[in-house]
Amino acid sequence: VERPELGSRLVGALCAPGRSDVGLTTGLRGAGGFGKTKLATWMTHQPEIEKRYPGGLLWVTLGQEVHGSDLAERINDLAYLLDGRRPAISEPDLAGAELGRLLDQQAPVLVVIDDVWEESQLRPFRYGGRDCKRLVTTRIPDVLPTRSFSILVDEMSASQAGELVSGGVDGLPERGIE
């Protein structure tokens, strides 16, 4: 279901002119199941985003259980996508510093960090990448840095919910579902 009010705010935040301070992020926050990841996915297909980030897009999904060497491995995967070499780093902050170094050598890249549960998961992604932006999806409001731009993704309008429930179902009355 399209959510144009959220989509336009998100694309506007990610395409704002000028360089962002290192580590500043845009966040999509809200309870589980309200469409943060779907909105982030939709955003990646918008022509304005492709134009603004000629270095491309990096996407990593974390989740509640990803910490320590598992987190470092996910960061190393992103470094591999940029450089073609996989760092042998098992400490998340060091892996993040290497990723940041590689990002500094790229045209602007959008880094999507999906399903962040703790600040310690986000911290390694805040190194380097002077011309990059980070989009974070999270259920936890205080995970995002205080200076980040945050969009609350919560309940849909009645018409959006009706469209979600009835989409693709033939034979429903024109009024839809109430």
Side-chain angles (χ1 to χ4, degrees):
V1 174
E2 289 190 26
R3 299 182 76 181
E5 72 287 354
L6 296 176
S8 64
R9 288 179 61 207
L10 177 58
V11 170
L14 293 172
C15 291
R19 290 171 58 150
S20 63
D21 293 338
V22 172
L24 288 184
T25 60
T26 298
L28 296 175
R29 60 182 174 79
F34 278 81
K36 299 176 297 294
T37 299
K38 291 288 185 190
L39 183 60
T41 302
W42 168 87
M43 171 275 313
T44 65
H45 298 285
Q46 302 312 300
E48 304 92 6
I49 296 296
E50 290 180 25
K51 182 178 178 185
R52 171 66 177 84
Y53 299 97
L57 166 78
L58 294 175
W59 185 297
V60 63
T61 300
L62 300 182
Q64 193 170 8
E65 303 300 320
V66 176
H67 298 91
S69 62
D70 292 335
L71 178 57
E73 190 60 31
R74 304 261 175 116
I75 298 167
N76 290 337
D77 290 344
L78 299 179
Y80 175 77
L81 292 172
L82 291 176
D83 190 44
R85 292 182 297 195
R86 181 176 306 282
I89 302 172
S90 61
E91 200 287 317
D93 284 330
L94 294 176
E98 175 61 11
L99 176 63
R101 184 188 70 75
L102 294 170
L103 287 169
D104 282 335
Q105 298 172 2
Q106 306 291 317
V109 173
L110 177 60
V111 181
V112 179
I113 310 153
D114 186 35
D115 201 19
V116 174
W117 283 76
E118 298 177 22
E119 189 280 331
S120 63
Q121 292 177 308
L122 184 57
R123 186 181 58 244
F125 293 96
R126 297 182 69 192
Y127 297 103
R130 290 183 302 269
D131 293 328
C132 300
K133 286 198 181 176
R134 288 105 171 136
L135 173 63
V136 176
T137 70
T138 184
R139 302 168 189 227
I140 316 300
D142 60 349
V143 163
L144 297 169
T146 55
R147 294 182 5 202
S148 65
F149 178 78
S150 177
I151 298 171
L152 177 63
V153 180
D154 59 0
E155 65 186 38
M156 296 178 178
S157 69
S159 64
Q160 290 169 337
E163 182 182 342
L164 178 66
V165 171
S166 64
V169 178
D170 295 328
L172 292 177
E174 291 228 3
R175 281 185 51 187
I177 297 175
E178 296 189 24

